[in-house]
Amino acid sequence: MERIAPGGRALLRTADGVVFARGGLPGERVRVAVERAARGVRHGVVTEVLERSAERVAPDCALHPRCGGCDLLDLAEHARARVKCEIVRDALARVARLEPPLIEQALRPLRAPGPHDDRARRRVSVVLHGGLPTLSAPESHQRVSVERCPALHATLERGLAQLAAARGPDGVRAQLACDERAGAVLALERDARLARAFVDAGGRGAVLTVDERSFGDPSLIGEVTSDAHPCRSDAGVFAQATRFGGAAIRDEVMRAVAPDSGTRVLELFCGSGHLTVPLLAAGAHVEACEGDARAVRFCRDNVALVDAGARALVRQLAIDEGLRTERAPDVVVIDPPRAGFPGLARLADQLRPRRFVLVSCDPATGARDLASLIARGRRLVALVPIDAFPRTSHVEWVATVE
Ligand SMILES: C[S@@+](CC[C@H](N)C(=O)[O-])C[C@H]1O[C@@H](n2cnc3c(N)ncnc32)[C@H](O)[C@@H]1O
């Protein structure tokens, strides 16, 4: 096997096409059972390691490899950072079509939490099956019940047990989260009985996102935001899943925007204000846009605490190619979901800001969006990869484009 691809699978190029194999590591010779093949690409699973990598370790989780949550557990911790940087370089070269010298000029060292920083996750999304919380198995629709999980904060792990004790019906999707205060909180779309049973089993609170009914105290305060400006939210709106990841993204965005009292920022995909609030606190004028009505309400409340007056405008809208803005920005900050933002090029033509700050949680779509700006004569000046999920191949970045 040559290297690790996004999603944690080992990759090998052969004369007959590409092979992706779960459970393989770079440098290993392995036997692979092919599960599916199409147009020269074969996907499979390693059934035998014939020549073992010196970086292979015993996974520290009993659910691995049945669970699809953490995909780098066979690889020594020190090697995981290298793998993530390779994934970033590959996306910049193959998708953004940047020449190696340009990549090396822009690429900064990976920002990573300390070694053994386990139990970092403060959020998890599960589906109930047989009354138990489950995660999905890799590349399949099968569910794996999860009682213990070394990736989760201990409070969140207790939340899983409380949810299991509440015995909800099959198929219910539930979001669990926790902050510094004791107890896990839950968000469900509906199902008041389950929400109440979760609180009775010791959960701190639960909210139903469809009608805002709450049970116990479902609020989160400063879950991943700074101590100086702790945002309020709940488990039913987006937040970064690790405190390190949230802080690193915020710090790098602030560094890249370098706001002062006159800077006009257009912020797209603002969620509940994790980036909006520090930008306003630094004196910027911010027009922040977000589609989720509940997140917008939290964002407006969080922004009100900064007392930014007319400098703040939070708009609820579906962000698409036809986006119209209220103010011409100096800087555009975008933090889209995995699909990225294909409308970026059109926005660049329309607004002509001096700088874009692009947060990405998916190297392929992030590189595609970067490429659309580079094709319009923009220049990638810095890209900081962030290791927000240390046990996985997942990597985020904050890119500055001028
Ligand atoms: C990666 S999150 C970023 C949130 C925020 N910047 C933060 O740091 O917490 C992406 C956000 O985009 C929102 N979103 C996704 N698709 C959208 C769309 N088409 N229009 C508007 N908002 C959208 C989601 O609700 C989510 O809050």
Side-chain angles (χ1 to χ4, degrees):
M1 305 312 297
E2 287 170 31
R3 60 184 171 85
I4 302 277
R9 295 162 303 170
L11 175 151
L12 175 70
R13 277 166 296 199
T14 73
D16 304 328
V18 182
V19 178
F20 289 101
R22 296 194 307 283
L25 294 181
E28 288 188 331
R29 211 158 69 83
V30 296
R31 200 179 296 286
V32 177
V34 174
E35 294 172 327
R36 61 196 159 89
R39 281 177 292 167
V41 182
R42 282 168 287 173
H43 295 265
V45 62
V46 170
T47 54
E48 195 182 345
V49 179
L50 303 168
E51 276 169 33
R52 195 185 152 88
S53 160
E55 291 176 335
R56 181 172 280 280
V57 294
D60 63 353
C61 174
L63 294 180
H64 183 78
R66 281 185 303 123
C67 167
C70 301
D71 55 25
L72 284 190
L73 294 188
D74 296 320
L75 184 67
E77 257 187 72
H78 70 265
R80 294 178 194 164
R82 187 193 66 227
V83 161
K84 291 181 199 235
C85 291
E86 284 167 4
I87 288 175
V88 171
R89 278 197 179 84
D90 180 61
L92 294 177
R94 231 171 15 84
V95 185
R97 299 200 175 282
L98 286 174
E99 296 295 329
L102 282 177
I103 297 176
E104 296 316 318
Q105 230 170 43
L107 193 58
R108 303 288 181 266
L110 179 81
R111 277 194 64 165
H116 311 296
D117 188 37
D118 281 345
R119 299 202 161 274
R121 282 195 73 123
R122 286 155 180 258
R123 288 196 161 234
V124 65
S125 176
V126 294
V127 174
L128 294 184
H129 194 74
L132 298 175
T134 65
L135 297 171
S136 56
E139 298 184 63
S140 98
H141 296 299
Q142 284 182 343
R143 308 297 309 176
V144 180
S145 73
V146 26
E147 283 146 46
R148 311 208 72 79
C149 171
L152 301 187
H153 193 283
T155 307
L156 210 51
E157 205 178 48
R158 274 198 300 282
L160 286 177
Q162 289 151 355
L163 186 56
R167 305 301 294 180
D170 278 7
V172 168
R173 187 171 292 279
Q175 269 96 252
L176 281 165
C178 65
D179 58 14
E180 297 306 317
R181 299 172 305 156
V185 295
L186 175 72
L188 302 167
E189 201 176 323
R190 44 195 98 231
D191 201 331
R193 188 213 64 79
L194 179 57
R196 203 172 292 116
F198 172 76
V199 174
D200 290 345
R204 197 178 75 222
V207 66
L208 304 184
T209 54
V210 83
D211 62 6
E212 302 287 336
R213 251 193 301 167
S214 64
F215 304 81
D217 174 9
S219 67
L220 293 163
I221 301 171
E223 181 192 9
V224 293
T225 49
S226 74
D227 294 336
H229 304 289
C231 284
R232 265 181 190 274
S233 63
D234 64 27
V237 296
F238 176 89
Q240 292 295 334
T242 65
R243 198 166 168 83
F244 170 81
I249 290 171
R250 178 200 61 223
D251 293 350
E252 293 303 333
V253 167
M254 292 301 287
R255 198 194 310 271
V257 176
D260 60 30
S261 56
T263 312
R264 288 159 306 164
V265 178
L266 171 65
E267 186 197 356
L268 302 184
F269 309 99
C270 68
S272 57
H274 172 51
L275 306 174
T276 325
V277 167
L279 286 167
L280 286 166
H285 295 245
V286 183
E287 178 178 350
C289 305
E290 161 67 40
D292 176 13
R294 300 187 73 250
V296 167
R297 280 205 298 280
F298 278 117
C299 189
R300 288 188 175 135
D301 290 349
N302 289 325
V303 158
L305 298 176
V306 192
D307 211 8
R311 288 193 291 113
L313 175 64
V314 181
R315 300 169 66 201
Q316 187 197 338
L317 48 85
I319 299 165
D320 58 21
E321 299 225 352
L323 179 78
R324 290 271 170 276
T325 62
E326 300 283 321
R327 308 161 175 164
D330 302 308
V331 183
V332 173
V333 174
I334 74 160
D335 184 5
R338 285 197 150 210
F341 181 39
L344 190 57
R346 200 153 140 195
L347 196 74
D349 291 344
Q350 185 194 327
L351 300 178
R352 309 200 156 272
R354 67 178 145 79
R355 186 175 303 153
F356 284 89
V357 177
L358 312 179
V359 184
S360 168
C361 60
D362 183 295
T365 58
R368 178 205 65 202
D369 292 350
L370 270 177
S372 71
L373 292 182
I374 291 165
R376 279 166 166 72
R378 299 279 179 158
R379 193 170 58 93
L380 174 65
V381 292
L383 188 146
V384 186
I386 295 171
D387 187 5
F389 300 94
R391 300 162 65 84
T392 73
S393 60
H394 191 96
V395 57
E396 312 246 338
W397 74 46
V398 176
T400 311
V401 176
E402 297 198 333

